[in-house]
Amino acid sequence: FGYRYMTSFHWSVTQFTPASMEVVPRNALERTFNIVMIFLGLLMFSSFISNMTNGMTYLTKRNYEKRQQRDALVSYMNAKGISLKLRH
């Protein structure tokens, strides 16, 4: 019963991860090891995606702050009547 349960669990885990069922474990220990490796791979992959998302969020925020500073500077120069020649 235990081996069949582990086989079913292994198959279900491979359905929602990028893993496949091509590796055919021959006993319960190999199947358990395979399931653990799938979960570790899922953890690593989700961590990688999280880091990429955080990096993109940081760059977007930084870009937005630079744009706000530039817009504030342009508004200031327009309000003070600074010529185009002095601006560049």
Side-chain angles (χ1 to χ4, degrees):
F1 173 75
Y3 185 74
R4 286 189 294 175
Y5 176 78
M6 290 299 281
T7 302
S8 299
F9 184 66
H10 182 203
W11 179 84
S12 66
V13 168
T14 61
Q15 298 308 301
F16 69 88
T17 63
S20 67
M21 191 70 170
E22 292 174 14
V23 176
V24 182
R26 301 206 185 275
N27 56 43
L29 183 62
E30 288 179 359
R31 188 165 302 279
T32 302
F33 178 78
N34 200 310
I35 291 169
V36 169
M37 290 299 109
I38 290 171
F39 276 117
L40 285 176
L42 181 63
L43 181 67
M44 297 279 248
F45 181 71
S46 58
S47 178
F48 171 75
I49 295 296
S50 175
N51 284 337
M52 292 298 290
T53 302
N54 286 339
M56 293 302 292
T57 302
Y58 172 75
L59 289 175
T60 301
K61 181 181 174 192
R62 213 170 138 198
N63 214 8
Y64 176 75
E65 290 169 352
K66 280 186 176 183
R67 198 174 325 120
Q68 278 187 320
Q69 287 178 345
R70 188 188 67 232
D71 291 347
L73 182 61
V74 168
S75 294
Y76 175 81
M77 289 190 287
N78 286 338
K80 297 298 181 182
I82 297 174
S83 71
L84 290 174
K85 189 174 183 178
L86 285 176
R87 290 182 191 191
H88 298 285

